Amino acid sequence: MRITAAVVPARGQPFEIQELDLAGPAADEVLLRVVASGMCHTDLHARDGYFPNLPYPVVCGHEGAGIVEAAGSAVTGLAPGDHVVVSFPWCGECGPCRSDHPAYCVNARAMKSGGRRVDGSTPLSRGGAPVYSCFFQQSSFSTFAVAPAKDVVKVRADAPIELLGPLGCGLQTGAGAVLNVMAPRAGQSFAVFGVGGVGLSGLMAARIAGCDPIVAVDVHPHRLALARELGATHALESKGAETLAEIRKITGGGVEFALETSAVPAVFRLAVDALRGLGTCVLVGSARAGTEVGFEMPWLQGGRVVRGVIQGDSRPREFIPRLVDLFMEGRFPLDRLVTRYEFADINRAAADAVRGATIKPVLRLPA
Ligand SMILES: [Zn+2]
Ligand SMILES: [Zn+2]
């Protein structure tokens, strides 16, 4: 079928809207009409060539939300008309997948940024020549997309589907790091470093858990203002040692849970230094390969835990519907993070995201 997609023609080039041909879904896939797609920094990293194995031209996008148009012959549990969010790919067979931690799938890298299906085929083409896609096995910057059914999460139909795409990646990353991994008790202290989409979703989750105080640290005053509105009890402009002293004062000696989303080594160090004894720092910010950071060894020996988390360690079919329910109850107001763009304005959305003017761009696909 004929579809319209945003193509990155070559490494580092801007997105170009093109008409392409999309093959029908494989037996284990669904075809969905993409209503809207979130944009994540990972899409821009793909555009800019951070993924060494990603071929071009390629269609990115990995926070797709839409409506099932058709299901492959082997698909059960999903039917045309279902409202769905597409989450991250996982193989289902490796150790982490079998132990219920699909976010750590050992085969994830190829499935996210190999540009092809697992069997090597490419569903998109232009004039008979392949256009690479299958970015996170979805490539949602497109009016229609195919995705493995097991990565597709059915959501309640009374929720505004055009807002839900970011739950598939960025928002479940922040919320899951808090609710699934930290699992704080009410009254425990929490600090988040970097209040973009991931950080603010972590902050909203900390509020749901009843954390107090909730400290937000960032360099953008407008983001700190939003953090306050969403539940931060303290909002601090990041100023190194001064910020550390302030956090220690607010928390009576250090914070119990720190969420690092910035991927800046000095900020990660600050998050770890802000921990009290037995505190936990969770790293979700993704830095480029080769990025290193140093900590004082005696400091970590004080019972402090530093761990990395991918995708909030979520099982999307359980976690995303739970977040949708919390949103519908007004407790996880993800709409406050979203700036909507028409699909044709994708390059403006990307530029706004890079300079920090938007928290979470969401592109509305033409019907
Ligand atoms: Zn796996
Ligand atoms: Zn993402």
Side-chain angles (χ1 to χ4, degrees):
M1 67 189 293
R2 261 305 157 96
I3 59 109
T4 304
V7 178
V8 180
R11 178 188 170 142
Q13 297 285 304
F15 297 101
E16 228 178 64
I17 308 282
Q18 294 181 0
E19 299 246 301
L20 306 175
D21 295 304
L22 173 65
D28 61 349
E29 289 179 338
V30 296
L31 169 71
L32 72 144
R33 178 168 74 78
V34 182
V35 172
S37 176
M39 176 183 274
C40 191
H41 283 283
T42 308
D43 298 307
L44 307 180
H45 291 167
R47 177 195 65 182
D48 296 340
Y50 286 24
F51 296 101
N53 298 320
L54 187 68
Y56 299 87
V58 68
V59 176
C60 302
H62 64 287
E63 291 183 343
I67 296 168
V68 174
E69 192 81 3
S73 56
V75 173
T76 55
L78 288 167
D82 285 348
H83 289 210
V84 293
V85 170
V86 189
S87 195
F88 58 81
W90 51 294
C91 78
E93 281 158 23
C94 70
C97 284
R98 289 162 87 102
S99 70
D100 248 4
H101 294 284
Y104 302 100
C105 175
V106 300
N107 297 307
R109 185 180 291 264
M111 290 189 289
K112 287 177 177 172
S113 59
R116 295 174 171 86
R117 288 185 175 114
V118 173
D119 69 5
S121 63
T122 54
L124 283 178
S125 59
R126 190 187 194 204
V131 172
Y132 298 97
S133 61
C134 304
F135 191 63
F136 283 60
Q137 297 295 306
Q138 56 170 295
S139 290
S140 57
F141 292 163
S142 180
T143 50
F144 290 86
V146 292
K150 72 179 186 335
D151 309 346
V152 173
V153 180
K154 187 175 168 178
V155 294
R156 54 196 270 188
D158 62 336
I161 190 68
E162 70 276 8
L163 287 174
L164 303 185
L167 290 172
C169 178
L171 302 191
Q172 90 176 338
T173 291
V178 174
L179 296 175
N180 298 330
V181 179
M182 294 175 177
R185 294 187 308 274
Q188 289 193 297
S189 54
F190 172 86
V192 56
F193 296 80
V195 282
V198 173
L200 288 171
S201 56
L203 186 152
M204 294 191 293
R207 190 189 196 188
I208 289 165
C211 290
D212 188 26
I214 295 177
V215 183
V217 181
D218 202 289
V219 292
H220 296 289
H222 69 283
R223 292 188 174 203
L224 289 169
L226 182 56
R228 267 191 184 282
E229 289 173 32
L230 294 174
T233 57
H234 301 76
L236 308 178
E237 231 176 294
S238 192
K239 284 178 191 154
E242 202 181 305
T243 309
L244 180 60
E246 242 178 303
I247 295 170
R248 286 182 177 154
K249 199 169 132 200
I250 291 163
T251 56
V255 72
E256 286 166 287
F257 293 101
L259 179 64
E260 199 310 290
T261 73
S262 75
V264 176
V267 177
F268 187 19
R269 170 77 195 251
L270 175 66
V272 172
D273 286 348
L275 293 175
R276 72 171 57 194
L278 296 170
T280 296
C281 176
V282 168
L283 166 75
V284 295
S286 24
R288 276 188 101 144
T291 308
E292 294 190 355
V293 64
F295 308 114
E296 274 197 40
M297 290 166 67
W299 186 249
L300 291 187
Q301 248 188 319
R304 294 174 181 85
V305 176
V306 177
R307 69 161 288 185
V309 172
I310 298 177
Q311 295 284 351
D313 196 11
S314 323
R315 292 177 292 279
R317 285 198 169 175
E318 294 161 31
F319 195 55
I320 290 175
R322 182 176 158 205
L323 292 176
V324 173
D325 285 345
L326 287 163
F327 166 60
M328 295 299 278
E329 290 163 18
R331 300 172 68 200
F332 190 76
L334 63 91
D335 54 311
R336 299 293 310 278
L337 316 187
V338 166
T339 306
R340 301 174 200 229
Y341 293 85
E342 295 301 326
F343 189 47
D345 295 327
I346 184 169
N347 287 305
R348 185 162 63 83
D352 288 352
V354 167
R355 66 190 172 89
T358 59
I359 306 274
K360 173 52 73 179
V362 169
L363 302 163
R364 187 162 32 201
L365 278 300

